[in-house]
Amino acid sequence: CASIVGNFLIYAHSNGRLQYYSLIDGQEVNEYKHANGIRKCFPNHEGTRVALIDTSGTAWLYNPINDDCIQIADFPVTADRILWDSSDSTIFVACDQFNLHTFVYSQVEVGGSGVRCLGDVELGLQWELRIDPSPSPLQHGQIAVLVVDGTVTCQQASGGLSQQRLKSHDMSSNAHVADAVERQKGCMLQALALNRFPLAFKIGLALNVRELWLAMGRRALECLDI
């Protein structure tokens, strides 16, 4: 498998080697050796992160900057493609025939880098975010081809295009101070799950609910965003 991203050709081998080849310099500039063979690779739009699916069916996220490679928890075994959100390099979507599974990557977090599968968000007793991984259903016969700020463009069986919002984004991007209180709470929790702190802060000012401020403070500390 191979992809051209910017000035780099990024390709993987069945023996587990992932290589970056500079199209300008005409030479390899980075190499990573995975424990298992690599079946598929999906770099983001800048080439700064690469999602891998190895021969064991396990998914990983590779960072060429520090050579860190972390396992992607809750990755569906049925997924055969990964699409990166073109407007947010921390968001990617695992696609199978029936569902879209949203993941968020946190490079800096207490305990190290992490990847979390998104879905339904609730507030715990200690103001922690409780996220129940939940996919966005894909209509029959549609194939996701592009993700932009949580909106997925799909190709229909007829060849036409349609759009749908990811379940993980369905409220956060449409938050407005005039919305009902419960909807605003849901918007704020969704924004925190996506690590969108400026949006969460804006909603928090409108709500001014102590529990939500504590939730935002806790999540900000977890992400070392102080």
Side-chain angles (χ1 to χ4, degrees), residues 7-198:
N7 296 322
F8 297 100
L9 170 65
I10 303 173
Y11 58 101
H13 300 262
S14 58
N15 61 9
R17 292 170 60 204
L18 176 70
Q19 295 175 289
Y20 278 65
Y21 181 87
S22 173
L23 299 176
I24 295 178
D25 300 328
Q27 61 182 359
E28 293 180 5
V29 293
N30 187 71
E31 179 177 317
Y32 165 71
K33 183 66 171 71
H34 191 59
N36 295 317
I38 299 174
R39 187 158 50 91
K40 295 183 179 181
C41 65
F42 304 91
N44 66 5
H45 298 284
E46 296 85 18
T48 55
R49 303 291 182 274
V50 183
L52 310 172
I53 300 178
D54 63 20
T55 51
S56 70
T58 306
W60 304 80
L61 189 64
Y62 172 65
N63 181 350
I65 307 300
N66 57 13
D67 229 27
D68 188 26
C69 193
I70 56 178
Q71 185 174 346
I72 302 175
D74 299 315
F75 190 84
V77 294
T78 54
D80 57 0
R81 293 183 304 117
I82 292 175
L83 297 176
W84 287 87
D85 193 315
S86 61
S87 68
D88 187 341
S89 59
T90 67
I91 302 293
F92 62 91
V93 178
C95 313
D96 59 27
Q97 187 177 357
F98 303 106
N99 295 295
L100 304 171
H101 307 258
T102 310
F103 293 83
V104 58
Y105 167 67
S106 301
Q107 180 179 357
V108 180
E109 193 169 299
V110 174
S113 303
V115 180
R116 177 182 296 185
C117 187
L118 300 180
D120 299 318
V121 188
E122 294 181 351
L123 195 58
L125 296 177
Q126 299 299 317
W127 312 296
E128 76 279 7
L129 294 184
R130 293 182 176 177
I131 301 178
D132 181 22
S134 179
S136 305
L138 192 61
Q139 294 184 15
H140 178 70
Q142 294 194 340
I143 301 174
V145 295
L146 179 68
V147 183
V148 181
D149 194 25
T151 297
V152 184
T153 299
C154 302
Q155 184 178 26
Q156 301 172 328
S158 63
L161 297 177
S162 64
Q163 291 186 332
Q164 71 175 78
R165 291 288 291 173
L166 291 170
K167 188 175 182 179
S168 54
H169 293 66
D170 59 359
M171 291 191 294
S172 62
S173 61
N174 297 318
H176 193 275
V177 294
D179 288 339
V181 172
E182 286 304 314
R183 177 174 172 78
Q184 287 192 71
K185 288 182 179 178
C187 290
M188 184 170 178
L189 292 178
Q190 205 169 78
L192 290 176
L194 292 166
N195 297 334
R196 297 183 174 179
F197 296 108

